[in-house]
mmCIF file of all heavy atoms in Angstrom:
data_model
loop_
_atom_site.group_PDB
_atom_site.id
_atom_site.type_symbol
_atom_site.label_atom_id
_atom_site.label_comp_id
_atom_site.label_asym_id
_atom_site.label_seq_id
_atom_site.Cartn_x
_atom_site.Cartn_y
_atom_site.Cartn_z
ATOM 1 N N ALA M 49 31.642 4.837 10.888
ATOM 2 C CA ALA M 49 33.012 4.371 10.579
ATOM 3 C C ALA M 49 33.636 3.566 11.726
ATOM 4 O O ALA M 49 34.730 3.886 12.219
ATOM 5 C CB ALA M 49 33.892 5.580 10.234
ATOM 6 N N VAL M 50 32.944 2.532 12.169
ATOM 7 C CA VAL M 50 33.417 1.737 13.322
ATOM 8 C C VAL M 50 34.623 0.891 12.921
ATOM 9 O O VAL M 50 34.619 0.237 11.880
ATOM 10 C CB VAL M 50 32.268 0.832 13.830
ATOM 11 C CG1 VAL M 50 32.778 -0.189 14.835
ATOM 12 C CG2 VAL M 50 31.174 1.693 14.459
ATOM 13 N N ARG M 51 35.646 0.902 13.772
ATOM 14 C CA ARG M 51 36.868 0.115 13.505
ATOM 15 C C ARG M 51 36.977 -1.037 14.499
ATOM 16 O O ARG M 51 36.347 -0.999 15.566
ATOM 17 C CB ARG M 51 38.093 1.020 13.637
ATOM 18 C CG ARG M 51 38.227 2.026 12.512
ATOM 19 C CD ARG M 51 39.558 2.772 12.625
ATOM 20 N NE ARG M 51 39.700 3.382 13.940
ATOM 21 C CZ ARG M 51 39.320 4.620 14.218
ATOM 22 N NH1 ARG M 51 38.789 5.381 13.280
ATOM 23 N NH2 ARG M 51 39.479 5.114 15.434
ATOM 24 N N PRO M 52 37.794 -2.044 14.179
ATOM 25 C CA PRO M 52 37.960 -3.164 15.111
ATOM 26 C C PRO M 52 38.369 -2.666 16.497
ATOM 27 O O PRO M 52 39.180 -1.755 16.632
ATOM 28 C CB PRO M 52 39.086 -3.994 14.471
ATOM 29 C CG PRO M 52 38.990 -3.684 13.013
ATOM 30 C CD PRO M 52 38.537 -2.256 12.917
ATOM 31 N N GLY M 53 37.741 -3.255 17.516
ATOM 32 C CA GLY M 53 38.069 -2.890 18.894
ATOM 33 C C GLY M 53 37.275 -1.716 19.437
ATOM 34 O O GLY M 53 37.470 -1.307 20.582
ATOM 35 N N SER M 54 36.374 -1.160 18.631
ATOM 36 C CA SER M 54 35.628 0.038 19.063
ATOM 37 C C SER M 54 34.636 -0.258 20.175
ATOM 38 O O SER M 54 34.138 -1.380 20.311
ATOM 39 C CB SER M 54 34.823 0.606 17.883
ATOM 40 O OG SER M 54 35.670 1.147 16.915
ATOM 41 N N VAL M 55 34.321 0.791 20.928
ATOM 42 C CA VAL M 55 33.213 0.748 21.887
ATOM 43 C C VAL M 55 32.005 1.369 21.188
ATOM 44 O O VAL M 55 32.013 2.553 20.849
ATOM 45 C CB VAL M 55 33.536 1.548 23.167
ATOM 46 C CG1 VAL M 55 32.325 1.587 24.095
ATOM 47 C CG2 VAL M 55 34.741 0.952 23.873
ATOM 48 N N VAL M 56 30.982 0.530 20.932
ATOM 49 C CA VAL M 56 29.792 0.985 20.204
ATOM 50 C C VAL M 56 28.627 1.058 21.187
ATOM 51 O O VAL M 56 28.382 0.107 21.931
ATOM 52 C CB VAL M 56 29.436 -0.019 19.078
ATOM 53 C CG1 VAL M 56 28.135 0.370 18.407
ATOM 54 C CG2 VAL M 56 30.562 -0.111 18.070
ATOM 55 N N VAL M 57 27.910 2.189 21.176
ATOM 56 C CA VAL M 57 26.738 2.327 22.029
ATOM 57 C C VAL M 57 25.516 2.444 21.125
ATOM 58 O O VAL M 57 25.439 3.344 20.291
ATOM 59 C CB VAL M 57 26.848 3.588 22.929
ATOM 60 C CG1 VAL M 57 25.580 3.749 23.768
ATOM 61 C CG2 VAL M 57 28.073 3.501 23.812
ATOM 62 N N ASP M 58 24.590 1.501 21.262
ATOM 63 C CA ASP M 58 23.327 1.593 20.528
ATOM 64 C C ASP M 58 22.245 1.906 21.551
ATOM 65 O O ASP M 58 21.873 1.054 22.362
ATOM 66 C CB ASP M 58 23.037 0.274 19.792
ATOM 67 C CG ASP M 58 21.840 0.417 18.851
ATOM 68 O OD1 ASP M 58 21.054 1.373 19.035
ATOM 69 O OD2 ASP M 58 21.690 -0.414 17.936
ATOM 70 N N GLY M 59 21.760 3.141 21.523
ATOM 71 C CA GLY M 59 20.782 3.585 22.523
ATOM 72 C C GLY M 59 19.379 3.088 22.250
ATOM 73 O O GLY M 59 18.495 3.204 23.110
ATOM 74 N N THR M 60 19.156 2.547 21.050
ATOM 75 C CA THR M 60 17.819 2.103 20.634
ATOM 76 C C THR M 60 17.989 0.793 19.873
ATOM 77 O O THR M 60 17.715 0.724 18.676
ATOM 78 C CB THR M 60 17.185 3.158 19.706
ATOM 79 O OG1 THR M 60 18.140 3.460 18.671
ATOM 80 C CG2 THR M 60 16.832 4.442 20.444
ATOM 81 N N VAL M 61 18.403 -0.232 20.563
ATOM 82 C CA VAL M 61 18.870 -1.435 19.859
ATOM 83 C C VAL M 61 17.755 -2.142 19.100
ATOM 84 O O VAL M 61 17.989 -2.775 18.065
ATOM 85 C CB VAL M 61 19.607 -2.386 20.829
ATOM 86 C CG1 VAL M 61 18.663 -3.057 21.790
ATOM 87 C CG2 VAL M 61 20.410 -3.421 20.066
ATOM 88 N N GLY M 62 16.501 -2.024 19.562
ATOM 89 C CA GLY M 62 15.375 -2.649 18.847
ATOM 90 C C GLY M 62 15.620 -4.124 18.630
ATOM 91 O O GLY M 62 15.975 -4.862 19.555
ATOM 92 N N LEU M 63 15.487 -4.568 17.383
ATOM 93 C CA LEU M 63 15.729 -5.974 17.082
ATOM 94 C C LEU M 63 17.207 -6.221 16.724
ATOM 95 O O LEU M 63 17.565 -7.307 16.282
ATOM 96 C CB LEU M 63 14.833 -6.437 15.943
ATOM 97 C CG LEU M 63 13.327 -6.419 16.250
ATOM 98 C CD1 LEU M 63 12.533 -6.889 15.040
ATOM 99 C CD2 LEU M 63 13.003 -7.286 17.450
ATOM 100 N N GLY M 64 18.013 -5.194 16.833
ATOM 101 C CA GLY M 64 19.457 -5.385 16.684
ATOM 102 C C GLY M 64 19.967 -5.352 15.256
ATOM 103 O O GLY M 64 21.099 -5.752 14.996
ATOM 104 N N GLY M 65 19.172 -4.837 14.322
ATOM 105 C CA GLY M 65 19.606 -4.813 12.912
ATOM 106 C C GLY M 65 20.837 -3.949 12.698
ATOM 107 O O GLY M 65 21.833 -4.394 12.115
ATOM 108 N N HIS M 66 20.787 -2.699 13.165
ATOM 109 C CA HIS M 66 21.975 -1.836 13.031
ATOM 110 C C HIS M 66 23.126 -2.401 13.865
ATOM 111 O O HIS M 66 24.263 -2.461 13.421
ATOM 112 C CB HIS M 66 21.667 -0.412 13.512
ATOM 113 C CG HIS M 66 20.826 0.383 12.567
ATOM 114 N ND1 HIS M 66 19.505 0.658 12.803
ATOM 115 C CD2 HIS M 66 21.120 0.979 11.379
ATOM 116 C CE1 HIS M 66 19.020 1.386 11.809
ATOM 117 N NE2 HIS M 66 19.979 1.589 10.929
ATOM 118 N N SER M 67 22.784 -2.803 15.089
ATOM 119 C CA SER M 67 23.831 -3.270 16.012
ATOM 120 C C SER M 67 24.593 -4.462 15.455
ATOM 121 O O SER M 67 25.799 -4.591 15.681
ATOM 122 C CB SER M 67 23.214 -3.663 17.356
ATOM 123 O OG SER M 67 23.352 -2.622 18.263
ATOM 124 N N GLU M 68 23.887 -5.331 14.765
ATOM 125 C CA GLU M 68 24.556 -6.526 14.233
ATOM 126 C C GLU M 68 25.709 -6.120 13.327
ATOM 127 O O GLU M 68 26.824 -6.623 13.436
ATOM 128 C CB GLU M 68 23.541 -7.381 13.470
ATOM 129 C CG GLU M 68 24.106 -8.670 12.957
ATOM 130 C CD GLU M 68 23.025 -9.556 12.364
ATOM 131 O OE1 GLU M 68 22.341 -9.099 11.425
ATOM 132 O OE2 GLU M 68 22.843 -10.680 12.849
ATOM 133 N N ARG M 69 25.427 -5.163 12.427
ATOM 134 C CA ARG M 69 26.463 -4.747 11.478
ATOM 135 C C ARG M 69 27.552 -3.915 12.161
ATOM 136 O O ARG M 69 28.726 -4.016 11.825
ATOM 137 C CB ARG M 69 25.824 -3.969 10.323
ATOM 138 C CG ARG M 69 24.845 -4.813 9.503
ATOM 139 C CD ARG M 69 25.566 -5.857 8.658
ATOM 140 N NE ARG M 69 26.493 -5.236 7.719
ATOM 141 C CZ ARG M 69 26.132 -4.696 6.560
ATOM 142 N NH1 ARG M 69 24.864 -4.740 6.183
ATOM 143 N NH2 ARG M 69 27.030 -4.132 5.773
ATOM 144 N N LEU M 70 27.141 -3.105 13.139
ATOM 145 C CA LEU M 70 28.138 -2.310 13.866
ATOM 146 C C LEU M 70 29.049 -3.231 14.675
ATOM 147 O O LEU M 70 30.263 -3.030 14.750
ATOM 148 C CB LEU M 70 27.440 -1.296 14.790
ATOM 149 C CG LEU M 70 26.643 -0.194 14.064
ATOM 150 C CD1 LEU M 70 25.767 0.580 15.048
ATOM 151 C CD2 LEU M 70 27.593 0.765 13.331
ATOM 152 N N ALA M 71 28.429 -4.267 15.264
ATOM 153 C CA ALA M 71 29.207 -5.222 16.068
ATOM 154 C C ALA M 71 30.183 -5.990 15.176
ATOM 155 O O ALA M 71 31.325 -6.248 15.569
ATOM 156 C CB ALA M 71 28.264 -6.178 16.790
ATOM 157 N N GLU M 72 29.739 -6.346 13.976
ATOM 158 C CA GLU M 72 30.645 -7.048 13.056
ATOM 159 C C GLU M 72 31.856 -6.168 12.738
ATOM 160 O O GLU M 72 32.988 -6.644 12.689
ATOM 161 C CB GLU M 72 29.907 -7.421 11.766
ATOM 162 C CG GLU M 72 29.028 -8.654 11.944
ATOM 163 C CD GLU M 72 28.029 -8.857 10.793
ATOM 164 O OE1 GLU M 72 28.036 -8.063 9.831
ATOM 165 O OE2 GLU M 72 27.246 -9.802 10.899
ATOM 166 N N ALA M 73 31.584 -4.861 12.554
ATOM 167 C CA ALA M 73 32.692 -3.947 12.243
ATOM 168 C C ALA M 73 33.629 -3.804 13.449
ATOM 169 O O ALA M 73 34.841 -3.646 13.298
ATOM 170 C CB ALA M 73 32.146 -2.582 11.832
ATOM 171 N N ALA M 74 33.069 -3.863 14.656
ATOM 172 C CA ALA M 74 33.896 -3.721 15.865
ATOM 173 C C ALA M 74 34.713 -4.990 16.120
ATOM 174 O O ALA M 74 35.726 -4.948 16.827
ATOM 175 C CB ALA M 74 33.029 -3.387 17.068
ATOM 176 N N GLY M 75 34.238 -6.117 15.581
ATOM 177 C CA GLY M 75 34.995 -7.368 15.677
ATOM 178 C C GLY M 75 34.958 -7.983 17.066
ATOM 179 O O GLY M 75 34.378 -7.430 18.006
ATOM 180 N N ALA M 76 35.625 -9.124 17.194
ATOM 181 C CA ALA M 76 35.570 -9.890 18.444
ATOM 182 C C ALA M 76 36.096 -9.075 19.620
ATOM 183 O O ALA M 76 35.699 -9.266 20.769
ATOM 184 C CB ALA M 76 36.381 -11.162 18.292
ATOM 185 N N ASP M 77 36.979 -8.132 19.333
ATOM 186 C CA ASP M 77 37.587 -7.364 20.415
ATOM 187 C C ASP M 77 36.801 -6.083 20.740
ATOM 188 O O ASP M 77 37.220 -5.287 21.580
ATOM 189 C CB ASP M 77 39.018 -6.995 19.998
ATOM 190 C CG ASP M 77 39.850 -6.714 21.207
ATOM 191 O OD1 ASP M 77 39.523 -7.264 22.282
ATOM 192 O OD2 ASP M 77 40.794 -5.904 21.094
ATOM 193 N N GLY M 78 35.679 -5.907 20.075
ATOM 194 C CA GLY M 78 34.882 -4.699 20.308
ATOM 195 C C GLY M 78 33.953 -4.844 21.513
ATOM 196 O O GLY M 78 33.841 -5.903 22.124
ATOM 197 N N THR M 79 33.282 -3.742 21.829
ATOM 198 C CA THR M 79 32.353 -3.720 22.967
ATOM 199 C C THR M 79 31.039 -3.107 22.492
ATOM 200 O O THR M 79 31.050 -2.090 21.792
ATOM 201 C CB THR M 79 32.920 -2.829 24.099
ATOM 202 O OG1 THR M 79 34.172 -3.364 24.498
ATOM 203 C CG2 THR M 79 31.977 -2.774 25.292
ATOM 204 N N LEU M 80 29.933 -3.732 22.885
ATOM 205 C CA LEU M 80 28.620 -3.158 22.564
ATOM 206 C C LEU M 80 27.891 -2.841 23.866
ATOM 207 O O LEU M 80 27.784 -3.696 24.752
ATOM 208 C CB LEU M 80 27.779 -4.157 21.754
ATOM 209 C CG LEU M 80 26.340 -3.707 21.483
ATOM 210 C CD1 LEU M 80 26.290 -2.542 20.485
ATOM 211 C CD2 LEU M 80 25.493 -4.869 20.950
#
Side-chain angles (χ1 to χ4, degrees):
V50 169
R51 289 187 305 268
S54 291
V55 175
V56 175
V57 177
D58 189 341
T60 51
V61 72
L63 295 180
H66 286 106
S67 262
E68 184 173 58
R69 297 289 300 280
L70 294 168
E72 281 166 2
D77 203 26
T79 301
L80 174 70

